[in-house]
Amino acid sequence: HFIDYKLFIKIFSMKDSELTQLHKPYESTIRFEKFLKKNKLLTKKTKNIIDIGSGIGSNLHYFSKKNNLIKFTGSDYDKKRISLAKKLNNNKNINFEYLNILNLNKKFVNKFDGLISIHAFCCFKTPDVIIKNICKIKPNWIAINSLFYNGNLDVLIHIRDYDQPSLKDNNPNSDFNIFSLSKIEREFKKYNYKLVKIYPYFPSNPILKPKYNRRGSYTIKTEFNKFSTFSGPVYLPWHFILLKKNDKIKKK
């Protein structure tokens, strides 16, 4: 459909990967959707799902097409990205709304069956605050695709990309923070959510290293997996995790 000049300029200035995903989703997005289906979360009983940190909605385009009976809400703190997402979106079962998860608007509470977050959780430095506000939304389940370590420590990583000087030090999109799974589990437990699934994600095919050592994911064979994911000099331990309200967990 027709795109006006100002919108074209905004799109042209964005990362290629975000735009590409609108038509060719990452393998991780496809596998994350399958992870949710395997755990019976994308069923007729699921009516509404919110995505925290949706950006322009690249991932939701895939999710909405695969699950056209579910209504998806994309949310982001960046009003410009929400505005652009609305203009790019033509799927009837998606809507986009501004949401600063650090300062939760009460209108989002008790509105959703499920909550997802894809590649956004690692951009925060204060997971305790994020977890508290995510739980205030009160979904039945929470599924996160992010960077986690199976140990009792966090690693905060900030990237300075000299090929992209517009990314300032206070820009959360420059963060690849890895959080302790045991810490995450303890924090969610405070709000009556139980960690029920942990799935380490590795690509099923190799990803080539970007030219000139620029920013971007690639794979290397390591002791963890033959397709371990790196960005620059940093190993990225991607995981899918699933949490459920204690009163929603079926007793065996």
Side-chain angles (χ1 to χ4, degrees), residues 6-61:
K6 288 183 179 179
L7 179 58
F8 174 79
I9 293 298
K10 286 181 181 179
I11 292 173
F12 186 77
S13 65
M14 292 175 62
K15 293 190 299 181
D16 290 342
S17 60
E18 289 184 82
L19 297 173
T20 300
Q21 286 183 81
L22 292 172
H23 306 287
K24 187 178 179 181
Y26 283 163
E27 181 193 349
S28 61
T29 301
I30 295 170
R31 294 261 296 277
F32 189 54
E33 194 267 349
K34 289 181 177 178
F35 170 78
L36 298 185
K37 277 188 173 170
K38 184 178 180 180
N39 287 283
K40 300 179 179 179
L41 301 174
L42 303 178
T43 67
K44 292 180 180 179
K45 293 182 179 179
T46 303
K47 304 299 182 184
N48 296 279
I49 293 176
I50 185 170
D51 181 5
I52 302 297
S54 64
I56 65 170
S58 301
N59 298 301
L60 283 189
H61 276 272

Side-chain angles (χ1 to χ4, degrees), residues 229-247:
T229 306
F230 283 74
S231 181
V234 181
Y235 170 57
L236 303 179
W238 292 109
H239 287 72
F240 305 159
I241 66 171
L242 172 61
L243 304 109
K244 290 185 177 181
K245 272 185 181 178
N246 277 323
D247 59 351

Side-chain angles (χ1 to χ4, degrees), residues 105-130:
N105 188 317
K106 291 182 180 179
K107 74 175 185 177
F108 292 95
V109 177
N110 288 320
K111 298 291 185 182
F112 303 97
D113 302 309
L115 181 150
I116 62 175
S117 182
I118 304 173
H119 299 170
F121 197 82
C122 58
C123 295
F124 296 103
K125 292 184 174 69
T126 53
D128 300 13
V129 177
I130 306 306

